[in-house]
Amino acid sequence: MSLTFHWFLPTNGDSRHVVGGGHGTSVTASGLDRPPTVAYLSQIAQAAEDLGFAAALTPTGAWCEDAWLTTAMVSRHTERLKFLVAFRPGSVSPTLAAQMASTFQRHSGGRLLLNVVTGGESQEQRAFGDFLDKDARYRRTGEFLDVVRGLWDGKTVDLRGEHLQIEGAKLARVPDPLPEVYFGGSSPAAGEVAARHADVYLTWGEPPAQVAEKIAWIRSLAARQGRTLRFGVRLHVITRDTSEQAWADADRLLAGFDPESVKAIQAGLARSESEGQRRMLALHDGGSRERLEIHPNLWAGIGLVRGGAGTALVGSHDEVADRIKEYAALGIDEFVLSGYPHLEEAYWFGEGVLPRLKAQGLWHHPLDARPAPAPTPLAGAGAVAPGGRT
């Protein structure tokens, strides 16, 4: 078994403090500390590539830069790293999305993965011209992926669905390889779409017992469709040489949370229609700073000021590796990670945790699988006689 690790591109800005935003809330002022320029994001992507991460997630929403355009620019500064591009089906036609994915695959050398995000906030969706309610959005996502999958299979697609009408759609060139589809969601409607279409089901970093319940739920739904999926978890990390150092940094982040800002952000998140967001809020009692370690080395402090993924693995490199093994034992194959700031935290994890997992046979650097290149002769060098020089 070899686990897969992905990193994150903070297209809403980066900082030594937590950058809030997402799920109907605005980016906090800390997002201005390191603006999400192509140069800075490329620096993070290059570090992730060197350290052995498989891909980098680029988020979507009104609170961050556009994922497709940003990723296309950053990808030119990397060679191997894949990009897990988040996008919302309600913002683009399925035929255009299938074509965009095909084009991206060709121009990037097959380095595209897709994170399909249905959208959990009606207010934000309406800003993009989408006025469907949440359950209808999931039904539309199912139709959307029916079309995309058909086009990727080289078929001519016609559909007269509840929400989408497509006639005579066909791609001139199908993507090679086909991008894998990552999909998350905690509602019954989300589960049905995941079972039919996802290659990897993603969950936010809930305590292991809750993650195990989700895995069992999605596995049973997929089995009814005659399918099997892989599973991934989205987490932040604060990993240091010692546990004391890691928790000191978590305390530093917590001390930087202004009480009034926390109150306002929590009020905004409480209006979220997302079942996953509701579950995140429940982990810290809607803004409480007490008992934030909700499982050994699992800290819910990030969710006080940030929508979406709100938990972090906090501890020494050995402790964080142990928690990863705990999730892996449940059936988690892939880990989508992030940390503040993203450049430095990538190195803490990549140089501290990954070597420990490698030594235990649980991970290998993607370049380890490549054959060693043949030695390149020096320019102008001739044959060397035994015991002699040219």
Side-chain angles (χ1 to χ4, degrees):
M1 175 182 69
S2 183
L3 302 176
T4 301
F5 294 91
H6 310 295
W7 199 240
F8 183 83
L9 293 182
T11 58
N12 58 330
D14 202 7
S15 175
R16 293 184 181 276
H17 304 281
V18 177
V19 179
H23 281 267
T25 63
S26 301
V27 174
T28 51
S30 55
L32 300 174
D33 293 350
R34 297 187 189 179
T37 63
V38 171
Y40 178 63
L41 296 174
S42 297
Q43 214 179 342
I44 296 172
Q46 289 165 354
E49 181 171 77
D50 291 342
L51 291 163
F53 290 94
L57 169 62
T58 313
T60 186
W63 55 286
C64 58
E65 298 288 355
D66 177 74
W68 280 107
L69 292 175
T70 302
T71 305
M73 295 177 188
V74 172
S75 69
R76 305 303 296 168
H77 299 276
T78 58
E79 297 178 358
R80 173 195 55 80
L81 189 73
K82 295 183 179 181
F83 293 90
L84 179 53
V85 179
F87 78 101
R88 296 180 179 179
S91 301
V92 62
S93 81
T95 305
L96 179 57
Q99 183 186 42
M100 290 165 66
S102 182
T103 299
F104 198 108
Q105 284 297 67
R106 282 191 296 280
H107 291 329
S108 70
R111 293 191 287 144
L112 177 67
L113 307 170
L114 288 179
N115 178 205
V116 178
V117 180
T118 296
E121 317 305 332
S122 290
Q123 181 178 355
E124 186 176 9
Q125 294 297 125
R126 288 194 293 270
F128 286 93
D130 180 7
F131 287 82
L132 296 181
D133 62 31
K134 178 182 171 182
D135 284 349
R137 290 197 295 269
Y138 275 109
R139 293 196 299 273
R140 178 183 59 198
T141 295
E143 294 180 1
F144 183 99
L145 290 172
D146 284 337
V147 174
V148 169
R149 292 286 197 188
L151 292 171
W152 285 351
D153 286 341
K155 299 175 182 176
T156 299
V157 177
D158 295 283
L159 175 70
R160 297 190 67 83
E162 177 185 1
H163 301 289
L164 297 176
Q165 295 187 30
I166 303 294
E167 183 175 316
K170 186 175 177 62
L171 293 182
R173 299 174 68 182
V174 299
D176 182 23
L178 296 181
E180 291 191 305
V181 173
Y182 289 65
F183 188 88
S186 300
S187 68
E192 293 296 333
V193 175
R196 284 172 47 206
H197 290 292
D199 297 300
V200 180
Y201 175 81
L202 287 177
T203 178
W204 287 329
E206 298 177 6
Q210 296 179 29
V211 171
E213 291 174 357
K214 274 191 175 180
I215 290 175
W217 168 53
I218 295 295
R219 273 182 176 158
S220 66
L221 293 177
R224 296 175 198 170
Q225 302 284 338
R227 303 184 70 237
T228 58
L229 312 182
R230 303 197 311 279
F231 294 89
V233 65
R234 172 79 180 91
L235 285 158
H236 305 276
V237 287
I238 305 173
T239 179
R240 298 292 183 269
D241 294 334
T242 68
S243 183
E244 291 76 15
Q245 291 170 341
W247 284 108
D249 212 33
D251 290 340
R252 178 189 63 80
L253 293 176
L254 186 62
F257 297 168
D258 173 64
E260 290 304 313
S261 295
V262 171
K263 184 177 179 180
I265 291 169
Q266 291 299 305
L269 294 176
R271 295 190 290 270
S272 173
E273 300 169 6
S274 165
E275 176 64 16
Q277 184 61 69
R278 184 194 66 77
R279 293 167 70 103
M280 283 283 104
L281 294 179
L283 296 179
H284 54 66
D285 297 325
S288 171
R289 295 181 183 232
E290 304 297 325
R291 298 182 299 277
L292 288 174
E293 189 178 5
I294 56 177
H295 183 79
N297 306 109
L298 184 63
W299 185 61
I302 302 292
L304 294 178
V305 295
R306 185 192 191 279
T311 53
L313 296 179
V314 181
S316 68
H317 304 314
D318 287 321
E319 289 171 334
V320 171
D322 285 343
R323 295 290 76 75
I324 286 171
K325 289 187 287 185
E326 185 175 4
Y327 280 109
L330 303 176
I332 296 293
D333 304 299
E334 306 196 18
F335 295 79
V336 183
L337 306 175
S338 57
Y340 299 97
H342 288 74
L343 181 60
E344 288 91 326
E345 202 66 51
Y347 280 104
W348 276 115
F349 186 87
E351 296 177 343
V353 179
L354 289 182
R356 285 163 167 78
L357 296 172
K358 181 177 180 179
Q360 299 173 55
L362 298 175
W363 173 81
H364 69 270
H365 194 291
L367 295 183
D368 291 347
R370 294 187 181 182
T376 302
L378 295 174
V384 180
R389 297 182 293 179
T390 56

